[in-house]
């Protein structure tokens, strides 16, 4: 993940986060504020707007696992 210009590597195993290994299957590009708002925004409109600014790319199964782990 690249959050506010900083890179973080992690793995999702059985819906839980762990340290990343090897090349990433998914890349998330977002601002920290958008990640927080996407989960905890005061309204559905604010959450939806934040989600539109978050980019998640990679193979579809891995993207689904990451979206589920982050509840995005």
């Amino acid at each position: 993940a690249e959050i506010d210009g900083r890179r973080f590597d992690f793995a999702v195993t059985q819906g839980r986060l762990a340290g990343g290994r090897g090349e990433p299957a998914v890349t998330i590009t977002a601002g920290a504020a958008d990640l927080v708002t996407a989960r905890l925004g005061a309204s559905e409109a604010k959450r939806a707007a934040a989600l539109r600014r978050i980019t998640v790319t990679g193979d579809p199964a891995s993207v689904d696992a990451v979206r589920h782990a982050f509840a995005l």
Side-chain angles (χ1 to χ4, degrees):
E2 185 175 311
I3 301 170
D4 289 337
R6 294 182 62 196
R7 184 179 168 145
F8 299 89
D9 294 332
F10 59 87
V12 177
T13 304
Q14 297 179 356
R16 303 182 107 178
L17 297 179
R21 296 182 199 152
E23 290 298 312
V26 175
T27 300
I28 301 169
T29 305
D34 283 333
L35 287 173
V36 171
T37 301
R39 295 279 321 275
L40 305 172
S43 70
E44 183 64 34
K46 287 184 180 187
R47 290 189 298 274
L51 280 171
R52 285 192 296 274
R53 292 187 294 270
I54 297 170
T55 303
V56 183
T57 58
D59 78 83
S62 295
V63 167
D64 286 346
V66 167
R67 286 188 183 277
H68 185 291
F70 281 97
L72 297 175

